Amino acid sequence: MYNDDLECIPLHQFTEQAYLDYAMSVILDRALPHVGDGLKPVQRRIVYAMSELGLKSSNKYKKSARTVGDVLGKFHPHGDSACYEAMVLMAQSFSYRYPLIDGQGNWGSPDDPKSFAAMRYTEARLSPYTDLLLSELPQGTVDWQPNFDGTLEEPKLLPARLPNILLNGSSGIAVGMATDIPPHNLKEVVAACIHLLKNPKATVAELCSHLPGPDYPTEAEIITSSHELLKIYETGNGSLRMRACYTKEEGNIIITALPYQASGAKIIAQIATQMTTKKLPMVEDIRDESDHENPVRLVIEPRSNRINIEEVMAHLFATTDLERSYRVNMNIIGLDYRPQVKNLKTLLQEWLTYREQTVRRRLEYRLHKITQRLPILEGLLIALHNLNTVIAIIREQDEPKPMLMKKLALSEFQAEAILELRLRSLAKLEELKIRNEQKDLLKEQTNLEKLLGSDKELKKLLTKELQTEAELYGDSRRSPLVQRAQAQALNESVLLPTEPITVILSLKGWIRAAKGHDIDPTALNYRAGDSFVDACQGRSHQQVILLDATGRSYSTPAHTLPSARSFGEPLTSRFSPANTIDFTAVLLGEPDTRCLLASSTGYGFITSLEDMYTKNKAGKAVLTLPTGAHNLPPLLIQPEQDHYLVITSAGYMGIIPLTELPQLSKGKGIKLLNIPSKSQESIIHLATLNLSDNITLYSGKRQLQLKERDRDFYLIERGRRGNKLPRGFQNIDHLEITAPKK
């Protein structure tokens, strides 16, 4: 049945309102700090509850469980573990720039901030710094609100004497928004506040001359440029980077400071992982020598004294937590109780407004107390001057207050004060004390009225108080601001060990690598139906280049190839050729090594190995083959080689300078020598050489060693036809080129 007492609303409307209520609760009452005292509600309640327990910095420690119990039972009905974690964070000197709690026991370590002991084991009291938040609390400076069950009252905010929102920073995740405010140096923040008080129209850039950047509770360097930091303070968001500090000691690298919230144990694990995976061959060992005297001392031992330490550290900065990035998002609850991302000037202006309101309320509260006290002192003087009358009235009257008011023309408060007066206060010396107090209060009253009546005088007081706090609680900057070049990780080829290897390619397209250069590839075992095709020698840090029958190149790191102890692996598992392709050659060398590519029809060009590199699994078109042509084995050009030798199927030979060939990244090339266009002639032999090398031609069982005058006979320009080989040597089986004997 339909119930008239029930309110029916659409489901989407109910869920939308419920979620909005939840979101606002998280934003305003849990996750974001207030600009006034820089605290979230749980932090504010912990500090206030500890002050109510009498846990000032000068008093004894008390069990943390007692504090957490009071906070939960009186002000913050949430989980005890979350409350205790918030309390722990405020006690960690490596988490807070100016800790709010002085802890005794295990409160965690920089390596593992969550390694703190249970609250039944630890003890705590407030740190001296919290006096900045609590000292003015009883002086009518803040508004109060009922606690969650209405049985007690708690302060809405704490009367912070300094902008704690910047000094300790804050971080939190709300619904649809978050906050990340870095900590800052107290003296620098005070200097910026005073400058803004004196120059309300000051720009963010002018404020940054006093407050150049954050100051974390670590000696690591802030390497973000001043220009980027200024942009962060102008917009209220951005990111900055911190880098570990290191020194050199007896050839070792000593890391002396880590970035904020970086774990030394994690960094050691990161470096050790690179060492075990052979990605950091220049490091021999890493160890942790941290102790009480040296809280951070990580020792990195290079493999030799020839290692470039700066390059190693740049690589580690780029690949480990020795350099970290920190997000900045100055999203806070303002004086209007609305969350907003504020720039530096807006934030300081709002806090100064809050501070001015707090100081004004403190002065008004004190003036009110003086205003109440002066008439009482005046009444006490009247009583002392009419002491016999007062005594007689008190002795004879059942209700002396009305009679005192009537006889001595006193107010109700004055009469009440006289009746509460102790007998020993009636001595003559007391009159002097009262008159001195009256004199002092009148002087203080005049001063207070002057301060409250002049904005200029009030600002002078604010400035003086800020300077006093800076002298009491200020310290030197811990995180130096340093301009550093961006860290770059070392190229993988530099990091890998440079071992000599031989790469072997088989007929069926299987590839493998053997250590050393003394391997006989033909003597290795091959799969059934497979055999040797090509091999090359090089180093393990180089790129292997494969050429197929269509003139496309493929590349892969040499160190990733399987061992020659096995049959290897098929190239089709690494590459995706368009069709079933025959791989014809394999190359290995430094990127700038030159290579001569040519087709059987007599076209060719010079290229570099780097031009044949590709990440494309389908390969890269390098040598364009004319119709009916096939590619000749590629030739690596040695630095001392300056000519190439070419022999055609018609028995023509030419020795031509390499300088006459173009260097291209890809293409068909140009004619290596002049071959008639309509003939079926093709190139059968191609080699590179130095003009002084010995050349031996083999035809069947006969051999011909070319003498110097013979070499000169075949030395031609590239566009020439070449010269006919002697009769009997027009069908060359193979040729041999050797360096001359010294």
Side-chain angles (χ1 to χ4, degrees):
M1 289 181 64
Y2 179 76
N3 190 339
D4 291 338
D5 295 335
L6 295 177
E7 179 184 3
C8 294
I9 59 174
L11 180 61
H12 72 87
Q13 184 179 334
F14 172 78
T15 53
E16 180 181 353
Q17 187 59 44
Y19 189 76
L20 283 173
D21 291 343
Y22 163 73
M24 291 307 296
S25 172
V26 172
I27 291 168
L28 298 177
D29 297 327
R30 189 178 304 177
L32 299 189
H34 192 279
V35 67
D37 56 12
L39 300 176
K40 302 176 188 179
V42 64
Q43 297 168 332
R44 188 178 301 118
R45 287 163 177 165
I46 290 170
V47 170
Y48 176 65
M50 291 182 74
S51 71
E52 288 295 287
L53 282 170
L55 297 178
K56 294 183 179 179
S57 58
S58 56
N59 294 349
K60 290 183 179 180
Y61 295 92
K62 265 187 185 171
K63 285 289 184 185
S64 302
R66 172 69 190 278
T67 299
V68 172
D70 262 38
V71 173
L72 300 185
K74 294 180 178 179
F75 309 112
H76 197 73
H78 295 277
D80 60 340
S81 60
C83 179
Y84 182 50
E85 281 192 29
M87 182 178 172
V88 167
L89 197 66
M90 293 191 290
Q92 292 176 338
S93 59
F94 51 85
S95 295
Y96 264 47
R97 181 65 177 82
Y98 301 95
L100 301 178
I101 292 173
D102 176 13
Q104 188 169 262
N106 178 13
W107 291 83
S109 67
D111 276 343
D112 187 5
K114 301 254 179 173
S115 62
F116 51 84
M119 57 185 173
R120 60 182 177 274
Y121 299 120
T122 60
E123 297 178 340
R125 65 186 179 189
L126 293 172
S127 70
Y129 175 82
T130 52
D131 189 54
L132 290 170
L133 302 172
L134 294 167
S135 62
E136 296 177 351
L137 194 60
Q139 300 176 28
T141 50
V142 295
D143 295 326
W144 296 73
Q145 63 185 6
N147 69 338
F148 64 92
D149 61 2
T151 57
L152 297 169
E153 284 198 331
E154 61 176 323
K156 286 185 176 181
L157 296 171
L158 297 181
R161 303 206 305 265
L162 289 176
N164 183 61
I165 187 71
L166 282 177
L167 299 182
N168 275 318
S170 186
S171 65
I173 301 174
V175 177
M177 61 180 64
T179 184
D180 287 284
I181 304 170
H184 293 78
N185 182 268
L186 191 148
K187 287 185 176 179
E188 294 175 355
V189 171
V190 168
C193 288
I194 292 173
H195 182 78
L196 190 58
L197 273 174
K198 295 179 179 178
N199 306 277
K201 294 183 179 180
T203 63
V204 174
E206 291 172 357
L207 294 175
C208 285
S209 65
H210 299 279
L211 184 62
D215 185 24
Y216 289 89
T218 171
E219 288 77 24
E221 300 172 344
I222 297 174
I223 61 171
T224 304
S225 68
S226 56
H227 173 72
E228 291 174 333
L229 288 173
L230 175 59
K231 189 175 180 182
I232 289 172
Y233 286 127
E234 285 177 339
T235 60
N237 53 47
S239 66
L240 55 88
R241 299 189 71 80
M242 289 194 80
R243 181 178 290 183
C245 296
Y246 70 94
T247 60
K248 300 172 189 176
E249 186 179 300
E250 297 180 356
N252 293 335
I253 303 168
I254 312 297
I255 298 171
T256 56
L258 297 177
Y260 178 58
Q261 293 182 334
S263 165
K266 184 179 178 183
I267 289 170
I268 289 176
Q270 289 172 336
I271 297 175
T273 300
Q274 292 191 38
M275 293 169 63
T276 54
T277 55
K278 297 184 178 180
K279 292 183 177 179
L280 203 58
M282 62 282 292
V283 173
E284 178 71 27
D285 188 27
I286 180 169
R287 57 186 179 271
D288 188 354
E289 295 183 356
S290 305
D291 53 28
H292 291 292
E293 291 184 4
N294 303 288
V296 177
R297 183 180 169 85
L298 306 183
V299 181
I300 300 174
E301 188 177 329
R303 195 171 290 275
S304 75
N305 57 9
R306 296 187 302 273
I307 298 295
N308 189 323
I309 289 177
E310 282 70 27
E311 283 188 1
V312 173
M313 290 307 298
H315 171 76
L316 293 177
F317 289 143
T319 57
T320 70
D321 283 351
L322 286 174
E323 182 176 319
R324 292 186 64 179
S325 177
Y326 300 89
R327 182 169 172 267
V328 177
N329 181 26
M330 297 199 288
N331 187 12
I332 54 177
I333 298 172
L335 296 179
D336 57 358
Y337 282 89
R338 291 186 178 184
Q340 184 185 9
V341 177
K342 302 181 187 296
N343 64 25
L344 180 63
K345 181 178 180 180
T346 305
L347 191 154
L348 289 178
Q349 279 178 331
E350 286 209 22
W351 183 82
L352 287 172
T353 301
Y354 174 77
R355 181 60 188 158
E356 186 178 340
Q357 292 172 354
T358 303
V359 171
R360 190 176 289 277
R361 291 181 67 167
R362 185 191 78 203
L363 298 178
E364 288 173 347
Y365 178 83
R366 177 59 182 163
L367 183 60
H368 178 67
K369 289 291 185 183
I370 291 173
T371 306
Q372 286 184 324
R373 180 65 177 166
L374 285 173
I376 290 173
L377 293 176
E378 189 179 340
L380 293 177
L381 288 173
I382 293 172
L384 286 173
H385 292 157
N386 299 275
L387 192 56
N388 293 332
T389 304
V390 170
I391 293 172
I393 292 173
I394 292 173
R395 291 180 62 183
E396 295 171 4
Q397 299 293 324
D398 293 334
E399 292 186 6
K401 186 194 288 188
M403 186 58 67
L404 284 173
M405 293 169 64
K406 183 178 179 182
K407 284 278 188 181
L408 302 176
L410 301 173
S411 67
E412 185 177 351
F413 291 108
Q414 289 173 323
E416 189 69 38
I418 291 169
L419 292 173
E420 290 178 358
L421 202 63
R422 293 182 179 183
L423 288 174
R424 63 180 171 185
S425 299
L426 300 176
K428 286 186 178 180
L429 290 174
E430 285 303 315
E431 181 179 354
L432 183 60
K433 286 183 180 180
I434 292 170
R435 290 197 179 277
N436 286 336
E437 182 183 355
Q438 189 180 42
K439 181 181 177 182
D440 292 341
L441 289 179
L442 285 169
K443 184 178 179 181
E444 186 179 355
Q445 183 183 37
T446 304
N447 188 38
L448 289 173
E449 288 172 347
K450 180 182 177 183
L451 288 171
L452 289 169
S454 170
D455 290 338
K456 184 178 179 181
E457 292 297 323
L458 191 60
K459 284 185 177 181
K460 281 184 181 178
L461 176 64
L462 289 174
T463 301
K464 184 178 178 181
E465 289 183 350
L466 287 170
Q467 289 171 337
T468 302
E469 308 305 345
E471 290 174 6
L472 283 174
Y473 299 99
D475 57 3
S476 301
R477 167 173 281 275
R478 292 190 192 174
S479 304
L481 297 166
V482 184
Q483 294 257 189
R484 300 287 187 195
Q486 185 173 356
Q488 292 286 342
L490 291 173
N491 191 291
E492 192 178 48
S493 61
V494 177
L495 294 172
L496 292 170
T498 58
E499 301 172 338
I501 60 168
T502 302
V503 179
I504 302 103
L505 175 66
S506 76
L507 181 65
K508 298 291 185 181
W510 286 62
I511 193 168
R512 48 186 159 166
K515 289 185 179 180
H517 289 165
D518 54 351
I519 304 297
D520 182 4
T522 59
L524 296 175
N525 292 325
Y526 292 87
R527 297 167 62 88
D530 202 359
S531 60
F532 170 74
V533 165
D534 193 19
C536 65
Q537 296 177 344
R539 312 291 293 187
S540 57
H541 69 281
Q542 296 169 340
Q543 287 275 324
V544 176
I545 298 171
L546 286 303
L547 288 176
D548 66 22
T550 66
R552 297 181 74 83
S553 70
Y554 306 79
S555 62
T556 188
H559 73 275
T560 64
L561 296 180
S563 170
R565 296 191 185 97
S566 65
F567 291 124
E569 69 175 67
L571 288 171
T572 51
S573 66
R574 292 176 178 251
F575 309 123
S576 304
N579 302 304
T580 304
I581 298 298
D582 293 329
F583 291 94
T584 59
V586 59
L587 298 169
L588 200 58
E590 293 300 324
D592 59 352
T593 302
R594 295 192 304 159
C595 178
L596 175 56
L597 297 180
S599 63
S600 59
T601 52
Y603 290 89
F605 61 92
I606 296 173
T607 188
S608 67
L609 294 187
E610 189 174 18
D611 285 332
M612 291 190 275
Y613 292 167
T614 177
K615 295 181 180 179
N616 191 350
K617 288 189 174 183
K620 174 183 179 182
V622 177
L623 178 62
T624 304
L625 297 174
T627 305
H630 64 270
N631 55 352
L632 298 175
L635 300 173
L636 294 181
I637 302 171
Q638 302 304 320
E640 68 275 7
Q641 293 176 336
D642 49 16
H643 286 70
Y644 68 91
L645 181 151
V646 57
I647 301 174
T648 71
S649 58
Y652 286 89
M653 187 176 90
I655 300 175
I656 307 162
L658 283 168
T659 54
E660 296 194 23
L661 290 180
Q663 180 157 342
L664 308 172
S665 60
K666 62 179 180 177
K668 177 182 176 181
I670 61 175
K671 283 187 176 183
L672 299 177
L673 82 170
N674 191 9
I675 296 177
S677 58
K678 294 184 179 180
S679 70
Q680 298 298 315
E681 189 178 356
S682 63
I683 293 178
I684 57 173
H685 294 292
L686 181 65
T688 56
L689 72 158
N690 185 281
L691 203 54
S692 62
D693 290 344
N694 297 321
I695 304 170
T696 306
L697 306 178
Y698 294 88
S699 178
K701 294 182 179 180
R702 294 182 295 177
Q703 67 180 41
L704 174 64
Q705 184 170 359
L706 298 180
K707 296 180 180 179
E708 186 175 346
R709 61 179 181 176
D710 297 326
R711 290 198 302 269
D712 293 342
F713 175 71
Y714 292 104
L715 190 62
I716 62 170
E717 296 178 355
R718 185 190 58 80
R720 301 284 295 277
R721 176 79 173 98
N723 292 311
K724 198 83 168 179
L725 288 165
R727 183 175 296 181
F729 287 93
Q730 294 178 3
N731 187 13
I732 301 298
D733 296 326
H734 68 280
L735 56 90
E736 188 177 274
I737 299 174
T738 58
K741 292 182 180 179
K742 296 182 180 179

